[in-house]
Amino acid sequence: MVKELTEVYCGDGRGKTTLAIGQSLRACSQGKSVIIIQFLKGKERRELDFLEDMDSMDIKIFRFEKMDRCYEELNEQEKEEERLNILNALNFARKVVATQECDFLLLDEILRLLDNGITTEESIEDILKLKDESMHIVMTGRTLPEKLRPYVNRITTLSTEEIKNEETEK
């Protein structure tokens, strides 16, 4: 059995989700089951609808947020409502990893939850601790906290100036 990786696409550059979706499509073309959980997408949340229309692909996309606007644009009451939806998404991600429900899991923009104070590093760490060697996980967001680095095999940083790949010693 091949030991699967945990990867992160982070940085202030564009293209993190695009790279992660490419990885998802590649995994699916190799016969792997794929689950994508999107966080904090707001207005962009429908960019992957075309994947749901492709019946032959084993890709399931989950979005728990209800608002069409970006999280940062919401008033405090709306933010609290969305925060509860997002915490449900995190619980679902934990269940997916714990039950090995798929071969490839994309947690799109999960690291931005930290930037917005919606969850803690420990909560994401708990999810990563559940991963076994048969599941490939990709996470995206702006920054990867030091506390999560021990759980990650490959970090790709996209900045407005360059792309940097880093293999970790996990």
Side-chain angles (χ1 to χ4, degrees), residues 94-109:
R94 188 176 292 106
K95 177 188 155 285
V96 167
V97 176
T99 62
Q100 300 300 307
E101 198 169 317
C102 65
D103 302 311
F104 185 100
L105 176 62
L106 167 53
L107 300 171
D108 189 26
E109 297 295 352

Side-chain angles (χ1 to χ4, degrees), residues 40-46 64-71 74-75 77-83 85:
L40 300 176
K41 285 305 207 177
K43 296 173 189 166
E44 302 173 50
R45 64 200 269 172
R46 297 293 165 209
F64 287 74
E65 294 163 75
K66 307 293 184 220
M67 307 284 173
D68 285 333
R69 294 181 317 232
C70 293
Y71 183 82
L74 303 176
N75 66 40
Q77 181 180 346
E78 291 169 329
K79 281 183 178 180
E80 181 55 26
E81 191 177 312
E82 279 299 48
R83 192 181 76 74
N85 295 330

Side-chain angles (χ1 to χ4, degrees), residues 20 23-24 27 32-35 102-106 135-136 138:
Q23 288 279 73
S24 302
K32 296 178 179 176
S33 59
V34 175
I35 291 180
C102 65
D103 302 311
F104 185 100
L105 176 62
L106 167 53
M135 182 182 278
H136 191 129
V138 173

Side-chain angles (χ1 to χ4, degrees), residues 26 41 53 63:
R26 189 175 99 205
K41 285 305 207 177
D53 297 333
R63 302 174 185 105

